[in-house]
Amino acid sequence: MDLSMEELSGILRARTNDVFRDNPKIADNNITTHGSDWLWAVTAFNAFILLGVIIWTYATSPRRRMFHYFSIAILLVATIYYYAMASNLGGHAVPVQFRRDGLPGRTRQVFWVRWVGYFINFSLIFFALLLLSGVGWASILFTIGLTMLWATMLLVGGLVPSDYKWGFYVFAVMIYFFIIWQVLGVARKYASKVDAGVHKIFSGLAAYTLFLMLLYPVCWGLSEGGNVMQNDSGAVFYGVLDVFSQGLFSLALTFATRDLDFGRMGLEFMEYGRIHDRSHWNRPEKGSHHNGHNTMHDGAALPAAGGTGGNMV
């Protein structure tokens, strides 16, 4: 069916992004309609992958879903905070430290909701990676805490109008190097003790994540920090990083871990549930050796009540 020019024009007008009609601009250097369109595109990308991973998850055995759940959480958070930014919400007008030629006005829109998203998502990313590595809980919790602090420093620095913001930036960079040491210096050694496959997957995903994470302070310095880029350009820079560090990472994590042996990684309790069913609990261990010196360890019956307990602990 042929459309007249008036009808086609009406359709195009109906699809115009009217976000600023409902949520007005808050700063001189604010995202424009083009920036909002880009943010909506990333929102749709995250939502599309999220839907695919959810379908993939529930087509997978419940015993094999642990890393699927991490991917769902990461993609859900990314979809939510991108929805907020595309709607021109979750931002604050911050007086700029540096006035640049070609950049409008005295204030810049800084999306605090972006850094709240990073606070959650990078914590989930490193939680998943360190569980994969087999490192101890103390290292896992310490690294997650460092990651939260990294995101918090860049959030606070972005909201500070004076040059004191760069102090928070320095703290964030220092914390980043602590994270590198925890991941590549400590956790990678544990991954090598699991097996070659786990070590290869962990090393690849960890190096990929840490490289992308290095670029976030660069983008911060050009946008919230130095006010070098227009807000739309900053949105594109951050968006490309987020697509790779969160969206594509989630797919890679889910795909790479689909056939791993959770028992070998010490994650069997997550595969079978906190309370084992009787059939699995009574199943003999593979490769167990029964002899006269380790009968207690190989499932020998306990002494009858009233008998001597020997050296039982």
Side-chain angles (χ1 to χ4, degrees):
M1 183 175 64
D2 294 333
L3 291 175
S4 67
M5 291 301 296
E6 291 183 0
E7 290 173 327
L8 181 59
S9 177
I11 293 173
L12 293 176
R13 282 198 301 269
R15 295 185 178 181
T16 299
N17 187 342
D18 293 327
V19 66
F20 299 112
R21 180 186 61 190
D22 300 314
N23 304 311
K25 295 181 179 181
I26 61 173
D28 300 320
N29 190 352
N30 203 96
I31 60 168
T32 67
T33 302
H34 297 298
S36 179
D37 289 340
W38 162 254
L39 294 171
W40 280 121
V42 179
T43 304
F45 174 82
N46 288 324
F48 179 76
I49 298 181
L50 172 61
L51 179 61
V53 173
I54 289 174
I55 294 172
W56 188 359
T57 299
Y58 289 98
T60 302
S61 168
R63 293 167 47 183
R64 311 293 306 161
R65 293 178 181 173
M66 185 183 70
F67 290 105
H68 291 69
Y69 291 144
F70 276 104
S71 296
I72 289 174
I74 292 166
L75 290 166
L76 180 59
V77 171
T79 302
I80 292 171
Y81 77 76
Y82 262 90
Y83 169 81
M85 293 189 297
S87 303
N88 199 43
L89 299 171
H92 182 68
V94 179
V96 297
Q97 180 186 7
F98 303 108
R99 299 285 303 277
R100 305 291 186 183
D101 293 337
L103 295 184
R106 298 176 177 272
T107 58
R108 182 186 183 94
Q109 180 187 35
V110 173
F111 284 114
W112 55 263
V113 71
R114 179 194 303 280
W115 293 98
V116 172
Y118 294 166
F119 179 94
I120 299 171
N121 267 359
F122 278 99
S123 299
L124 290 172
I125 287 169
F126 283 111
F127 192 5
L129 284 175
L130 296 180
L131 279 179
L132 176 64
S133 75
V135 76
W137 285 106
S139 291
I140 292 175
L141 295 176
F142 179 57
T143 306
I144 290 173
L146 289 174
T147 306
M148 292 177 173
L149 191 57
W150 171 83
T152 302
M153 292 298 96
L154 292 175
L155 167 61
V156 174
L159 297 176
V160 173
S162 68
D163 57 3
Y164 285 89
K165 67 173 61 186
W166 296 101
F168 295 102
Y169 179 85
V170 171
F171 286 132
V173 173
M174 291 172 58
I175 292 166
Y176 169 76
F177 286 104
F178 273 112
I179 295 171
I180 288 180
W181 171 247
Q182 283 296 118
V183 175
L184 297 182
V186 177
R188 192 160 65 97
K189 293 180 181 178
Y190 283 83
S192 67
K193 297 177 183 178
V194 180
D195 62 41
V198 169
H199 182 256
K200 181 179 180 180
I201 293 170
F202 171 80
S203 299
L205 289 176
Y208 172 84
T209 298
L210 288 168
F211 170 72
L212 292 172
M213 196 176 177
L214 176 63
L215 299 179
Y216 281 91
V218 175
C219 187
W220 187 98
L222 295 173
S223 52
E224 291 97 329
N227 194 40
V228 175
M229 295 189 299
Q230 204 274 340
N231 223 306
D232 286 353
S233 301
V236 172
F237 196 161
Y238 277 123
V240 171
L241 291 178
D242 292 345
V243 164
F244 282 93
S245 68
Q246 297 169 56
L248 297 183
F249 171 87
S250 298
L251 288 178
L253 175 69
T254 308
F255 183 81
T257 60
R258 68 195 186 283
D259 295 324
L260 292 181
D261 182 353
F262 286 0
R264 186 170 180 81
M265 293 189 295
L267 299 176
E268 189 181 26
F269 73 100
M270 294 185 181
E271 183 174 355
Y272 289 97
R274 291 185 299 110
I275 301 175
H276 295 250
D277 59 64
R278 185 177 298 275
S279 61
H280 174 70
W281 187 261
N282 292 333
R283 191 181 305 156
E285 293 286 336
K286 292 181 180 179
S288 60
H289 303 284
H290 297 271
N291 56 55
H293 299 286
N294 61 359
T295 54
M296 288 304 298
H297 294 286
D298 288 331
L302 295 174
T308 59
N311 294 325
M312 185 174 64
V313 178

